[in-house]
């Protein structure tokens, strides 16, 4: 019987290094000219973070330490600057640490009437600037802050401005639904980011691939899938007992790609009918899950209505265990109550959106995408130079 996924030596499943290493080691490595290596995935158990150790010799080839000359040239590259908005500063700090850089100094404040003020506190003239800001809730506040940050960099004569958007809000409004006279907000937001002055966008797990076409500037699209697959590899579940489940018909392509990496596991589909926004009703199950470990895969969890009703159906059909895997944890009420109700053996998410401490529950596991985004930024900045493998090894479109 095979293991859950192929071993870490397989080029299909790169093994990422994720948060947090002790501060002393990070400082020593930075002083010695080596980029920070964050090796343990961040896991929350009973609301408290813990960091299970992973073998130090399991580096994927594309995240291996570069040659000394390349390190020195990168460390001395003053043209690259990273600034963080207020939406997810912890992720921004992890990205900067992985890259061996410090976050740029920026002053962001709000006036009494709610208006946003942004001032760069260091020169960016002629620099490649990367602004890390997910447009997560409150979406309108964070989006406006990103636009003003872009404008500040443009007016400060930055050479290139890349908006690093781990979570792209309004992505679900990417087309007209069955009713007429509806807006396509995803296109509107893309226009706003472009007109503000961004030269490139780096996004993670867009709700649909067509959203990339709404931008009139280059879009680098990375997937959180390798990070989740790397974590699932430690579970060592027999591949014969595994089935990947799409919680709706629209996510079949995503689930199929996920299943191929899990030793080409079988696929099941939950058929649901939606009667309104954020309201889902499970109708039918396509596929066999009896006696199997079901892994439900989706790009985001909002109110958890779709995935929780799907999990209940899987248990009714005889599934032994149910895992939920998603990149973006929006967690709008009553998501926490639904996810912690006992339907799931484990809920696996990433830190593209910060999770409030009050939303921790025993089954929740948070993985970091900092190294994924950090390595992507290096490759975009270097134009994939310096002997790096192609973007495909990171799952970048």
């Amino acid at each position: 019987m095979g293991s859950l996924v192929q071993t870490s030596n397989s080029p299909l499943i790169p093994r990422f290094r994720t948060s947090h290493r002790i501060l002393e080691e990070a400082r020593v490595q930075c002083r010695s000219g080596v980029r920070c290596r964050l090796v343990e995935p961040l896991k929350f158990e009973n609301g408290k973070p813990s960091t299970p150790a992973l073998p130090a010799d399991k580096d994927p080839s594309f995240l291996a330490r570069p040659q000394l000359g390349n390190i020195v040239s990168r460390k001395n590259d003053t043209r690259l600057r990273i600034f963080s908005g207020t939406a997810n500063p912890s992720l921004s700090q992890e990205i900067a640490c992985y890259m061996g850089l410090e976050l740029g100094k920026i002053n962001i404040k709000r006036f009494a009437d709610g208006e946003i003020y942004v001032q760069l506190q260091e020169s960016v003239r002629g620099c490649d600037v990367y602004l890390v800001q997910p447009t997560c809730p409150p979406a309108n506040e964070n989006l406006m802050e990103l636009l003003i940050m872009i404008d500040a960099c443009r007016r400060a004569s930055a050479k290139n401005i890349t908006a690093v958007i781990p979570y792209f809000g309004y992505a679900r409004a990417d087309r007209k639904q069955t009713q007429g006279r509806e807006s396509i907000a995803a296109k509107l937001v893309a226009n706003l980011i472009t007109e503000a002055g961004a030269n490139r966008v780096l996004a993670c797990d867009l709700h649909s691939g067509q959203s990339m076409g709404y931008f009139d500037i280059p879009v680098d699209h990375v997937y959180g899938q390798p990070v989740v697959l790397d974590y699932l590899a430690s579970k060592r579940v027999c591949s014969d007992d595994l089935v990947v489940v799409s919680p709706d018909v629209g996510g079949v392509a995503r689930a199929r790609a996920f299943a191929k990496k899990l030793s080409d596991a079988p696929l099941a589909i939950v058929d649901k009918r939606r009667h309104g926004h954020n309201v889902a009703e499970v109708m039918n199950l396509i596929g066999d899950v009896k006696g199997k470990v079901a892994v439900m895969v989706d790009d985001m969890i909002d109110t958890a209505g779709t995935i929780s009703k799907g999990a209940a159906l899987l248990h009714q059909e005889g599934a032994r265990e149910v895992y939920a895997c998603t990149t973006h944890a929006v967690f709008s009420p009553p998501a926490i109550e639904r996810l912690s109700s006992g339907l799931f053996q484990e809920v696996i998410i990433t830190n593209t959106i910060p999770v409030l401490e009050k939303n921790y529950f025993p089954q929740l596991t948070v993985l970091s995408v900092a190294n994924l985004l950090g390595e992507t930024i290096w490759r975009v900045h270097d134009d994939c130079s310096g002997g790096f493998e192609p973007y495909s090894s990171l799952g970048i479109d």
Side-chain angles (χ1 to χ4, degrees):
M1 293 186 297
S3 61
L4 175 63
V5 299
Q6 299 178 18
T7 63
S8 59
N9 294 326
S10 171
L12 295 179
I13 308 179
R15 185 172 289 277
F16 287 86
R17 302 254 172 167
T18 50
S19 354
H20 290 290
R21 195 118 177 153
I22 58 174
L23 183 59
E24 290 77 5
E25 181 174 348
R27 289 173 176 169
V28 170
Q29 290 179 338
C30 288
R31 283 200 299 269
S32 63
V34 179
R35 288 182 286 150
C36 297
R37 296 166 60 81
L38 307 175
V39 299
E40 299 88 356
L42 180 62
K43 180 172 181 178
F44 294 93
E45 295 180 351
N46 297 317
K48 301 297 182 181
S50 63
T51 53
L54 292 177
D57 59 348
K58 297 301 183 181
D59 280 334
S61 59
F62 59 85
L63 290 184
R65 298 183 185 221
Q67 297 298 320
L68 180 59
N70 194 29
I71 296 172
V72 174
S73 64
R74 282 185 167 187
K75 291 286 287 183
N76 294 331
D77 190 350
T78 58
R79 296 185 302 108
L80 193 155
R81 303 292 175 83
I82 301 177
F83 293 91
S84 174
T86 61
N88 198 345
S90 60
L91 175 58
S92 304
Q93 186 61 61
E94 289 184 43
I95 293 173
C97 184
Y98 171 80
M99 300 178 68
L101 303 173
E102 292 184 359
L103 288 176
K105 297 179 181 179
I106 186 171
N107 179 25
I108 302 176
K109 64 181 181 180
R110 282 161 173 77
F111 294 107
D113 61 354
E115 294 180 2
I116 301 172
Y117 171 83
V118 173
Q119 180 195 22
L120 303 177
Q121 297 185 315
E122 58 185 69
S123 174
V124 295
R125 184 179 298 274
C127 295
D128 290 340
V129 177
Y130 294 81
L131 306 175
V132 183
Q133 175 81 341
T135 54
C136 53
N140 298 332
E141 284 277 318
N142 291 328
L143 173 61
M144 193 65 196
E145 184 179 302
L146 174 62
L147 297 176
I148 297 176
M149 290 171 64
I150 294 172
D151 182 72
C153 292
R154 179 174 63 86
R155 297 180 186 278
S157 302
K159 181 180 179 181
N160 293 302
I161 304 171
T162 300
V164 181
I165 311 175
Y167 170 72
F168 181 60
Y170 287 105
R172 286 174 284 184
D174 56 356
R175 64 189 184 279
K176 287 192 175 184
Q177 306 293 336
T178 55
Q179 301 177 1
R181 299 181 295 279
E182 294 180 311
S183 67
I184 303 179
K187 173 59 176 173
L188 173 62
V189 173
N191 287 342
L192 290 172
I193 293 173
T194 303
E195 292 301 319
N199 303 108
R200 179 182 292 269
V201 168
L202 169 57
C204 183
D205 265 329
L206 292 170
H207 185 65
S208 62
Q210 70 193 44
S211 297
M212 289 186 287
Y214 294 154
F215 290 89
D216 297 325
I217 55 178
V219 177
D220 292 304
H221 185 206
V222 301
Y223 297 92
Q225 181 187 90
V227 179
V228 177
L229 286 168
D230 180 59
Y231 175 76
L232 287 176
S234 64
K235 296 295 180 181
R236 300 297 179 186
V237 178
C238 174
S239 59
D240 295 337
D241 296 335
L242 188 70
V243 59
V244 175
V245 181
S246 173
D248 54 35
V249 176
V252 172
R254 183 185 301 108
R256 183 186 295 116
F258 199 89
K260 287 182 179 179
K261 298 295 181 69
L262 291 179
S263 301
D264 203 13
L267 185 67
I269 304 170
V270 175
D271 176 36
K272 67 179 177 62
R273 305 295 171 89
R274 189 181 295 276
H275 298 293
H277 296 295
N278 295 330
V279 178
E281 180 181 354
V282 172
M283 299 296 295
N284 199 5
L285 178 67
I286 305 171
D288 180 27
V289 298
K290 187 174 182 180
K292 295 183 178 293
V293 176
V295 179
M296 302 189 73
V297 180
D298 209 350
D299 63 317
M300 71 174 69
I301 296 178
D302 190 356
T303 61
T306 297
I307 204 163
S308 61
K309 289 183 178 180
L313 179 63
L314 294 176
H315 282 293
Q316 292 175 11
E317 296 294 329
R320 190 170 80 240
E321 293 178 349
V322 178
Y323 289 82
C325 299
T326 188
T327 303
H328 309 299
V330 181
F331 285 177
S332 302
I336 302 303
E337 290 77 5
R338 289 170 171 170
L339 295 174
S340 59
S341 62
L343 290 172
F344 300 96
Q345 181 75 15
E346 193 170 1
V347 178
I348 304 168
I349 64 173
T350 71
N351 62 344
T352 56
I353 299 176
V355 180
L356 300 177
E357 187 174 355
K358 66 179 182 179
N359 289 337
Y360 298 154
F361 54 94
Q363 297 86 3
L364 183 65
T365 298
V366 182
L367 306 178
S368 177
V369 295
N371 291 16
L372 174 67
L373 295 176
E375 191 65 30
T376 305
I377 290 174
W378 270 130
R379 298 187 184 198
V380 171
H381 177 67
D382 292 341
D383 292 326
C384 204
S385 63
F388 283 120
E389 296 180 11
Y391 277 0
S392 59
S393 61
L394 285 179
I396 306 172
D397 283 343

